[in-house]
Amino acid sequence: MKTIVMILFSLLALTGCGVEENEEKVVDIYLEDSIEARANILEVFSSINHPLKNGGYILSDDFVEFKTSLNVLAMTIGSEARIQFNNSEHIIEGLEQIENHIENISNQQLVEIQSELNAPKYVYIAGLEEYFDYYLDRSDIKDGSSSLFNTYFSSLKRRLDDDDMDSFKETAEEAVGQLKRLKDYPLGTINLVITLNKDKFTEEQREMLENSLMYIDMSIDQQIAIMSGFSTGDLLGKDELAEALLYIENAREELAKLEAALDI
């Protein structure tokens, strides 16, 4: 009997030692991975060429690149800090918050986050979504929207009711100018962000982005043609208006497909 008890104790002792040894190994491996992950994330953080390094005035394109890169990183690591304004105090505060967050991320989160670095999902949400939303808001001519076209169209109707043809033509010309400016902002900014991050997206995802922009551009071109017709007297019909609306619907469909592909 004593022999059996001794054997049991020996087995338990060996088993216990084995478990402790295995647990210790797991912890060691986990720590090693987390140290490497933290170093990689800090390297990404330090590699972001923020414009304050050079001091002075921050150019618009430089700020867009910096803002996008930093906000993508912040969202990836779960930090609530976001760079929104081209303001040195605001930027410094955001940098400090993100760096502090990196230093305090748990080991488990670090290992999980590393695989998400540069994920297209975060590039789209943090770098592109707000500009696409603005572009669509300004160009969607569906009933009830506050797009540029609808706003100016309402003004044109009032000018027509007042029988003020000079003001009618001036308003139409102003509408053309405002619609053309959309090609600079936000379209220019969207194209810049896509160019800077084109390697983050698959070919299929880039195609969806490009298609959505193409449809918005086609709608705006149609809207410009309609407004130009009001200013010159060469009026276009309802078919052109229907086409402009259809292009926006197509753009929204492309973005919906992209968001589904990105699991948003």
Side-chain angles (χ1 to χ4, degrees):
M1 184 70 172
K2 287 182 180 179
T3 306
I4 294 173
V5 171
M6 288 178 65
I7 291 171
L8 284 172
F9 272 118
S10 298
L11 288 172
L12 286 171
L14 286 171
T15 305
C17 289
V19 170
E20 288 176 7
E21 188 178 340
N22 286 339
E23 284 180 352
E24 190 175 340
K25 247 181 212 181
V26 170
V27 170
D28 286 344
I29 293 171
Y30 197 66
L31 277 173
E32 185 177 341
D33 288 346
S34 67
I35 290 169
E36 182 182 352
R38 193 187 306 276
N40 289 340
I41 292 169
L42 282 169
E43 184 179 355
V44 171
F45 176 72
S46 63
S47 70
I48 296 174
N49 185 26
H50 65 81
L52 292 179
K53 287 180 180 177
N54 302 321
Y57 179 72
I58 302 174
L59 296 174
S60 177
D61 285 359
D62 291 339
F63 178 71
V64 169
E65 179 178 358
F66 162 72
K67 172 188 171 183
T68 301
S69 299
L70 203 65
N71 286 349
V72 169
L73 176 62
M75 182 170 285
T76 305
I77 65 175
S79 170
E80 294 183 0
R82 295 290 184 274
I83 301 299
Q84 296 176 307
F85 312 111
N86 194 341
N87 172 278
S88 58
E89 185 176 342
H90 171 68
I91 290 172
I92 290 170
E93 182 181 354
L95 288 167
E96 291 174 349
Q97 288 177 357
I98 293 170
E99 187 171 18
N100 183 62
H101 187 88
I102 294 172
E103 295 293 349
N104 289 283
I105 301 174
S106 70
N107 292 338
Q108 181 180 354
Q109 287 175 313
L110 282 166
V111 176
E112 292 171 352
I113 286 169
Q114 185 170 223
S115 64
E116 294 292 320
L117 286 174
N118 297 319
K121 172 180 179 177
Y122 298 119
V123 174
Y124 176 77
I125 296 174
L128 288 168
E129 191 172 40
E130 67 171 301
Y131 298 117
F132 267 106
D133 286 346
Y134 180 84
Y135 203 18
L136 285 166
D137 286 344
R138 304 300 278 171
S139 59
D140 194 341
I141 59 175
K142 67 184 177 184
D143 288 343
S145 77
S146 56
S147 65
L148 283 173
F149 183 92
N150 285 359
T151 299
Y152 278 101
F153 192 73
S154 296
S155 297
L156 287 174
K157 286 194 289 186
R158 289 195 297 271
R159 301 290 184 271
L160 199 59
D161 291 339
D162 295 338
D163 199 24
D164 187 349
M165 295 311 296
D166 288 338
S167 294
F168 181 89
K169 290 181 179 180
E170 288 173 6
T171 300
E173 289 170 359
E174 185 180 338
V176 169
Q178 290 296 324
L179 287 165
K180 286 181 177 179
R181 286 191 184 93
L182 290 175
K183 298 295 184 80
D184 296 323
Y185 181 88
L187 178 57
T189 303
I190 292 172
N191 282 328
L192 174 61
V193 174
I194 292 174
T195 299
L196 292 170
N197 296 279
K198 62 183 179 181
D199 59 326
K200 313 290 195 315
F201 296 98
T202 66
E203 184 177 347
E204 184 181 9
Q205 290 164 355
R206 286 197 303 272
E207 187 176 331
M208 292 174 190
L209 285 169
E210 290 164 1
N211 285 344
S212 64
L213 288 177
M214 175 188 70
Y215 284 125
I216 299 173
D217 290 347
M218 289 169 71
S219 179
I220 291 174
D221 287 342
Q222 197 72 288
Q223 294 173 43
I224 289 172
I226 293 169
M227 283 295 177
S228 295
F230 287 138
S231 66
T232 62
D234 186 16
L235 302 179
L236 299 178
K238 291 182 179 179
D239 289 345
E240 288 76 16
L241 196 62
E243 282 182 5
L245 181 57
L246 180 61
Y247 291 144
I248 294 297
E249 291 174 355
N250 290 341
R252 290 192 183 278
E253 287 176 6
E254 288 293 325
L255 284 179
K257 287 195 297 184
L258 174 65
E259 290 174 0
L262 298 176
D263 195 25
I264 297 175

